[in-house]
Amino acid sequence: MTDQDHSQSVKLTFRAFEDGDYKWDNLQEAIFSADHSHKCPTYIHRTPPCQGSCPSGEDVRGWLQIVKGIEKPPQDLTWQEYAFRRSTDANPFPSMMGRVCPAPCESGCNRNQVDDFVGINAVEQFIGDTAYDQKFVFHAPELGSSRVAIVGGGPAGLAAAYQLRRRGHGSTIYDDHSELGGMMRYGIPGYRTPRDYLDHEIQRILDMGGIEVMTGVRIGRDMSIEHLEKNYDAVLWSIGCQSGRSLPIPGSEAPNCVSGVEFLEAFNKGVLQVSADRVICVGGGDTSIDVVSVARRLGKISNLNKSLRVEKVIGGYVAHDSAFAAMREGAEVTLTSLFPRSEMTATDHEVEDALHEGVDIRYGVMPIEVIHDNKGRARALKLAECTIDSNGRPQPIDDTEIEIKCDLIVSAIGQAGNLVGLEALDNGRGLIDADSFYRMKERPGHFVAGDIIRPHLLTTAIGQASIVANSIDHFLKGAEPGKRPKVDVHHFDLLEKLRENSLEPADYDSSQDWGTCDANFAVHNYEDRSTHEIISSDQLFLGHFGYESRNLRQSHGPDKDHVLSHFEERHQGLSAESAQKEAGRCMSCGMCFECDNCVIYCPQDAVFRVSKDKSTMGRYVDTDYDRCIGCHICADVCPTGYIDMGMGE
């Protein structure tokens, strides 16, 4: 089984001509007409689509380049630790995200136009697991006097505490659970987020110092908003969405109709050891996949005492004995989705895993009614085939209704925040409003991040934490955060790279003339457009890249006959060699990766390598404009789109 759990087809690599092209271009006229273009090359740094589509804003290309060996680490760091530091600039949870992130970066990867995307998740897991094995730590500057109250210790709150500490600000994290982690701990099964790695990544943040933790404390019940305002310089609300939405259909008030959030939290706390004979989950997203996968693993116990039914455990009245594990039998588990498989929001390989584990998935159906027995419990769910209207609402198709018998119905159709005691913050939809800098408009000094703004991905919450930490930092300094860039992610910084190698430009001397090529106060012929532009595949010379098979993680997901009580981790991480080979498939979109094409193909020897004592990542080639005739061959053969014909008229 692969990490995608579907067969990988060998596709054609890039073709220079489209179907229907039959005329030869006059290359002599197009290229070799001296200075016909009147333009010379400039070196343009742009953001790759993997990074542009990463909600955490990770410098994906950067840490892939480090793993593949193109970007060299400083002398005092191994490449493994250097890749870890680059990765965690944006996201302090590489082990977790490498395992569970649905990886929009891979969908955006330009390598899809050649063969198949780079396995970014797999390499990120390697980076995180290596950091775990080698005990890499975070470094923090001296702690200042300001303190921030962070309400909620999930991915957003923890990531914000981390980013604030890197800026010298202390914090106190308040969480109403007994342990930190939020949805990473209570919303995702442990076989997907192994607790030893999760605990380690959380503790690594706390070990930075200056971060106090108060668990088992609910703001709005045990402590007031006014208390936080009085004792802290700023308040961040990152409480997540812990309340599931019930089915908006008749009969959903039955006691054995529960939410996916509640079901998974009871399982992750260890109090839920068995599910029910026949389980139906209504959803279609990643949470619903986790529900049905857990239900298949937990199974049922025949003749289970009524006082130990699932709804009693979820309600907090009882807890199952762990000895129940020895008595489990297989349960019938069904997942229903409004959409066909191709349009489900769940990650496709997770859907494939569920099918492999014996889950029955019904596509394109909507729930109509919960059918009760004579005691008021759900005994069946009535469904109908449906279409989706122009407003995105499902509409039942006449004469398609069916009933599926059940003992438990789990609703995984959305989540909302639990704002009991915090009604002053509620926007009327069980969420909290924020502006583009994640500030609360009506409450100066209050900030928001994570699902409580709008339920989304873990990586989205982590990305918001970076932005809100910057906003809080400016607030504490009495400054405005300034305009957010069009491409608001963590970018490669050439000046920082030059400083790292003691190659930074000299201080500007006002007696020098601007524009002289002999001055050393600037980096010549280089333009950074990474905050404004994402480079697309049509700007690359894809013909440079041949087919390369992916280096796949091994997956150990059980089949339907072995899923019962199977709680082992699915993914076996890549070896260092495999991780380097997979990172080597990265096409370095928007950044030079030292292929030498421009040097080799320049007919005038105008493009040359920078001398080794001045060369670094992003500064490998230069142009002698006295020799350049503007033929644009260098730009044509640049695989990464790093060269523009920009100097001249």
Side-chain angles (χ1 to χ4, degrees):
M1 236 187 257
T2 71
D3 68 338
Q4 294 301 305
D5 294 319
H6 57 75
S7 60
Q8 179 183 340
S9 60
V10 177
K11 297 182 287 188
L12 287 173
T13 54
F14 171 76
R15 295 190 301 166
F17 302 97
E18 296 181 356
D19 292 339
D21 288 351
Y22 59 90
K23 291 184 179 180
W24 291 97
D25 291 330
N26 186 332
L27 297 181
Q28 180 74 20
E29 179 181 332
I31 298 178
F32 294 109
S33 298
D35 60 347
H36 178 75
S37 73
H38 302 291
K39 292 182 183 293
C40 293
T42 56
Y43 303 99
I44 309 295
H45 171 207
R46 297 179 175 91
T47 294
C50 59
Q51 184 177 349
S53 56
C54 172
S56 288
E58 294 190 36
D59 182 7
V60 177
R61 178 189 58 208
W63 49 259
L64 287 174
Q65 298 286 55
I66 295 168
V67 174
K68 73 191 283 188
I70 295 296
E71 183 174 351
K72 305 299 182 184
Q75 291 184 351
D76 60 338
L77 289 181
T78 63
W79 66 265
Q80 292 93 334
E81 185 170 358
Y82 194 48
F84 164 74
R85 301 215 171 281
R86 182 68 62 80
S87 168
T88 55
D89 272 344
N91 188 337
F93 304 106
S95 280
M96 292 298 98
M97 292 302 103
R99 286 170 165 85
V100 302
C101 182
C105 55
E106 294 178 346
S107 300
C109 177
N110 278 335
R111 181 117 205 162
N112 283 307
Q113 307 304 316
V114 175
D115 41 40
D116 205 354
F117 59 78
V118 176
I120 297 168
N121 258 13
V123 179
E124 186 171 24
Q125 180 187 343
F126 165 79
I127 291 171
D129 290 0
T130 300
Y132 172 88
D133 293 335
Q134 299 188 19
K135 297 179 173 57
F136 297 153
V137 300
F138 290 137
H139 301 295
E142 184 177 345
L143 190 64
S145 59
S146 58
R147 290 201 67 80
V148 178
I150 299 176
V151 186
L158 285 164
Y162 163 72
Q163 297 289 4
L164 286 167
R165 186 63 189 87
R166 296 177 76 197
R167 291 165 169 80
H169 305 300
S171 61
T172 301
I173 302 174
Y174 292 93
D175 196 280
D176 57 357
H177 291 82
S178 60
E179 295 181 88
L180 299 178
M183 291 299 287
M184 292 188 292
R185 184 181 302 278
Y186 296 106
I188 301 177
Y191 53 84
R192 295 188 61 210
T193 54
R195 298 311 189 232
D196 48 352
Y197 287 94
L198 174 60
D199 291 342
H200 180 82
E201 294 199 320
I202 292 173
Q203 190 60 46
R204 186 164 54 210
I205 294 172
L206 302 182
D207 286 344
M208 298 170 78
I211 303 173
E212 187 181 4
V213 175
M214 301 288 288
T215 54
V217 177
R218 179 175 175 81
I219 306 300
R221 180 192 65 193
D222 306 315
M223 192 177 294
S224 68
I225 297 175
E226 291 72 24
H227 176 85
L228 299 182
E229 292 174 333
K230 181 179 178 180
N231 289 277
Y232 294 92
D233 301 292
V235 181
L236 172 61
W237 299 94
S238 54
I239 59 178
C241 286
Q242 304 173 35
S243 299
R245 299 187 185 277
S246 60
L247 296 177
I249 58 175
S252 62
E253 75 283 355
N256 53 335
C257 290
V258 301
S259 76
V261 175
E262 294 170 324
F263 180 91
L264 291 170
E265 181 167 345
F267 165 73
N268 286 314
K269 285 181 174 179
V271 297
L272 183 65
Q273 294 288 333
V274 294
S275 57
D277 291 16
R278 296 164 299 189
V279 180
I280 299 177
C281 180
V282 179
D286 289 325
T287 296
S288 67
I289 296 293
D290 283 338
V291 167
V292 295
S293 296
V294 166
R296 284 288 291 161
R297 283 163 170 76
L298 289 178
K300 66 178 182 180
I301 292 180
S302 297
N303 303 315
L304 183 68
N305 189 296
K306 294 179 181 180
S307 66
L308 297 175
R309 286 170 171 164
V310 173
E311 63 265 29
K312 297 292 185 180
V313 177
I314 290 176
Y317 304 111
V318 294
H320 287 158
D321 193 308
S322 59
F324 282 3
M327 305 163 60
R328 290 174 182 150
E329 305 171 62
E332 296 178 25
V333 180
T334 302
L335 171 62
T336 74
S337 169
L338 294 174
F339 303 100
R341 176 171 174 175
S342 60
E343 297 178 25
M344 289 174 64
T345 58
T347 309
D348 190 62
H349 72 268
E350 297 289 348
V351 177
E352 188 64 34
D353 280 342
L355 291 168
H356 187 68
E357 293 168 3
V359 176
D360 177 24
I361 303 182
R362 307 289 182 97
Y363 307 103
V365 295
M366 64 180 292
I368 300 296
E369 182 183 1
V370 175
I371 309 299
H372 291 189
D373 63 15
N374 57 10
K375 295 183 180 179
R377 300 184 78 250
R379 64 169 180 81
L381 180 64
K382 183 182 290 187
L383 301 156
E385 296 179 18
C386 66
T387 58
I388 307 299
D389 66 20
S390 59
N391 295 316
R393 298 188 184 94
Q395 300 295 330
I397 298 174
D398 292 340
D399 302 322
T400 62
E401 294 182 359
I402 60 170
E403 290 185 14
I404 301 179
K405 294 180 179 180
C406 61
D407 301 289
L408 178 70
I409 297 175
V410 183
S411 171
I413 60 171
Q415 298 161 223
N418 182 352
L419 294 173
V420 175
L422 302 172
E423 289 81 4
L425 309 180
D426 196 331
N427 65 5
R429 303 188 306 275
L431 303 171
I432 301 177
D433 288 332
D435 67 11
S436 61
F437 294 98
Y438 300 109
R439 302 173 295 194
M440 290 186 66
K441 297 177 182 178
E442 306 300 327
R443 287 179 174 264
H446 287 252
F447 301 81
V448 195
D451 280 356
I452 194 60
I453 297 174
R454 181 175 69 89
H456 207 252
L457 306 175
L458 298 181
T459 183
T460 303
I462 293 166
Q464 291 173 356
S466 286
I467 297 168
V468 79
N470 185 62
S471 298
I472 294 172
D473 180 55
H474 279 78
F475 172 77
L476 295 174
K477 294 175 180 177
E480 285 293 315
K483 184 178 180 180
R484 284 177 58 183
K486 182 178 179 181
V487 183
D488 194 357
V489 296
H490 293 248
H491 300 280
F492 171 81
D493 187 337
L494 178 60
L495 284 176
E496 184 59 35
K497 188 65 183 177
L498 291 169
R499 292 188 189 101
E500 188 179 275
N501 292 279
S502 300
L503 297 173
E504 66 269 27
D507 293 335
Y508 173 63
D509 183 350
S510 59
S511 65
Q512 293 177 303
D513 293 330
W514 276 92
T516 172
C517 62
D518 297 323
N520 190 35
F521 59 78
V523 178
H524 299 288
N525 316 334
Y526 174 88
E527 184 178 350
D528 186 355
R529 296 185 192 168
S530 60
T531 59
H532 304 287
E533 295 182 18
I534 296 175
I535 191 164
S536 59
S537 61
D538 59 7
Q539 295 175 273
L540 313 180
F541 174 41
L542 293 176
H544 177 86
F545 303 98
Y547 178 86
E548 293 182 48
S549 298
R550 285 180 51 207
N551 300 268
L552 299 166
R553 288 182 290 196
Q554 294 299 309
S555 181
H556 303 284
D559 60 23
K560 63 181 180 180
D561 297 322
H562 299 91
V563 68
L564 195 65
S565 298
H566 189 289
F567 297 106
E568 298 173 19
E569 186 182 358
R570 289 178 179 174
H571 294 310
Q572 179 180 327
L574 296 175
S575 65
E577 180 182 4
S578 294
Q580 289 180 304
K581 287 182 178 178
E582 185 58 20
R585 297 180 64 246
C586 172
M587 302 192 303
S588 190
C589 309
M591 172 64 74
C592 173
F593 70 101
E594 305 176 8
C595 70
D596 283 331
N597 276 6
C598 56
V599 176
I600 294 169
Y601 289 102
C602 177
Q604 302 298 319
D605 292 333
V607 181
F608 61 94
R609 299 184 192 92
V610 175
S611 61
K612 289 185 177 179
D613 61 344
K614 296 182 180 179
S615 175
T616 188
M617 185 71 193
R619 196 61 182 156
Y620 178 71
V621 290
D622 202 347
T623 301
D624 183 343
Y625 290 128
D626 289 336
R627 289 175 173 266
C628 178
I629 60 172
C631 70
H632 63 74
I633 293 176
C634 58
D636 290 344
V637 300
C638 177
T640 69
Y642 186 61
I643 302 176
D644 273 15
M645 300 304 291
M647 297 290 290
E649 65 178 17

